[in-house]
Structures are given as structure tokens and as C-alpha cells.
Amino acid sequence: MTTTADAVAPGVGRSRRNYLAAEFLLLFFGAVSVYTVFRIPGGPIPLLVVLGITAVVYLRRQPDFDRSNFWRASALWPVLPRMLLLWGATAALGLVSLWLFSPERLFELPRNNPTVWLFIMVLYPLLSVYPQELIFRAFLFHRYAPVFGNGLGMVAASAAAFGFVHIIFGNVLSVVLTVIGGWIFSNRYRRTRSLFAAWVEHGLYGLLVFTIGFGDFFYHGAAAR
């Protein structure tokens, strides 16, 4: 399933678009900067869950939002082969990079803390990935369509916001990688309008990161070291 071309919603005035653009910058860049500066304790997961629930409540109240976007599992199967091919290539590149430049990190978490690794494998997709997809894909795509349209402009906006929020981890690599990942997941949602497909893809990359040895770059506690 594909969406319409990159065009703003009809009937939305300039003042409304300007308001939404300012709101987008405030929420996804201003608020994140404040969170980072003040190092709010407890980590991002509780906040993500609350914001994810808020996004669901908001979207369910929008008469022009298709609620089947929350899941639409059937959209995964046609794109799964190419999704897995890209994921496999990324996994190979990540493994080779670690082997060459930081071999001590290879499979560090499952080797040294298998219980923690197992908890992450189970809970991370539920408590972190799906709330992020609700916020950065379903909510952002619907709320800010009058500003960015429904095409690659929206994909870029979503990827930028998704990448920027990872400054809370205190390193450039997490931001760079999540901008790239954000583009992949956002484009997946744009093409399928399936949060399930985007969630699966995001989850695969996230679990890969924590398994092969990049987990420290995406761990909230690491920023305080």
C-alpha cells in the first residue's frame, strides 16, 4: 500500500501550518534538549510508555486517522524478504566493524550478562520500540502532515526527530545510526501504513544492536559515565 505524493493537506491555512511547524520543533527538539540538559532520572522508558499511550488516545480521537494503521499485520509479508535482506547486510557490516575495530565488544552483553540480554530481547520491543513507533511514525505522520506532506519530506522530518532524540545517550554514533534507521522505519510506514511492519523492522535492528555489541551506545546510563 502506498500513500499520496508529498503534498500538504488541502484546506489547511498558512497560520495553522506555521503553528504546527513551531510545535514540531518545540516538542521533538526543544523538549528533548531540555530533557538532555537536566538529565531527568529514571531513563526514557517510563516517559516513552506515557507518551505512547497519549499518542494512542490522541489518534483514536481523530476522525481522519485510520485505526487499522496501529497494526495492519498483513502489510508485513510482502516486504519481509527485502527487509530481512537489508537487515542481514547491516548485521554483517556491524559484525565485521566490531571484529576489526573493537573485538572486545563482540557479543559482550549476551556473554557477560545473559539474563539482562534476555530481558532486553523480551521487553525492549514492547516497552521501547512500539511506543517509539507510535510517537515518531503514527503520531508524527498524522499530526504534521499539513507541514511536511505524506511523502519523503515527512520521512526526512521523522528521521531527523527520531535521530535527534538519541542525543540523550551522549554520543554521536547513536544519533547518526538512528537517523539512518529512522529513515528506514519511516519510509516503511509511509509505504505500508502499518505500524506493525515498522515495529518489526525497528525491533530487529534494536535487538541486533544489543546482541552484537553496540548496546553501550544506546544505553541511558552510559551518558552519565
Side-chain angles (χ1 to χ4, degrees):
M1 176 180 178
T2 57
T3 59
T4 58
D6 202 353
V8 297
V12 178
R14 181 180 296 274
S15 61
R16 175 62 175 171
R17 292 198 297 271
N18 289 341
Y19 170 83
L20 288 172
E23 180 188 277
F24 169 78
L25 293 173
L26 179 63
L27 287 180
F28 291 98
F29 295 88
V32 171
S33 297
V34 171
Y35 180 96
T36 303
V37 169
F38 288 97
R39 298 195 178 204
I40 298 173
I45 298 298
L47 183 59
L48 276 177
V49 172
V50 171
L51 292 176
I53 293 171
T54 303
V56 171
V57 172
Y58 168 81
L59 291 169
R60 287 179 62 87
R61 296 180 66 178
Q62 305 307 304
D64 56 340
F65 177 76
D66 185 350
R67 294 184 182 183
S68 63
N69 290 0
F70 283 131
W71 202 244
R72 194 175 278 117
S74 61
L76 172 65
W77 312 119
V79 301
L80 186 60
R82 298 187 73 176
M83 181 189 296
L84 292 177
L85 183 64
L86 179 60
W87 178 84
T90 303
L93 178 62
L95 287 168
V96 170
S97 299
L98 284 172
W99 179 67
L100 290 175
F101 300 109
S102 190
E104 72 281 358
R105 288 181 176 271
L106 273 172
F107 303 106
E108 182 180 24
L109 186 59
R111 283 191 293 107
N112 297 332
N113 291 288
T115 302
V116 172
W117 176 74
L118 284 172
F119 270 107
I120 290 174
M121 294 299 103
V122 174
L123 298 179
Y124 171 75
L126 300 174
L127 299 181
S128 180
V129 176
Y130 196 72
Q132 289 181 66
E133 290 306 310
L134 285 167
I135 297 162
F136 291 98
R137 254 57 75 181
F139 171 77
L140 196 154
F141 269 63
H142 183 81
R143 176 75 172 170
Y144 302 107
V147 180
F148 302 111
N150 295 309
L152 295 182
M154 178 61 79
V155 172
S158 177
F162 182 68
F164 185 79
V165 77
H166 288 80
I167 66 168
I168 66 173
F169 297 125
N171 65 86
V172 174
L173 184 63
S174 65
V175 175
V176 172
L177 292 180
T178 50
V179 167
I180 297 170
W183 182 277
I184 294 170
F185 313 145
S186 298
N187 204 34
R188 187 71 63 198
Y189 182 71
R190 178 182 75 90
R191 290 177 175 275
T192 64
R193 290 297 174 180
S194 167
L195 215 60
F196 179 76
W199 173 60
V200 169
E201 191 162 29
H202 185 172
L204 285 172
Y205 283 93
L207 297 181
L208 175 69
V209 160
F210 285 104
T211 298
I212 67 175
F214 285 103
D216 275 356
F217 295 104
F218 297 86
Y219 168 55
H220 184 67
R225 294 178 184 176

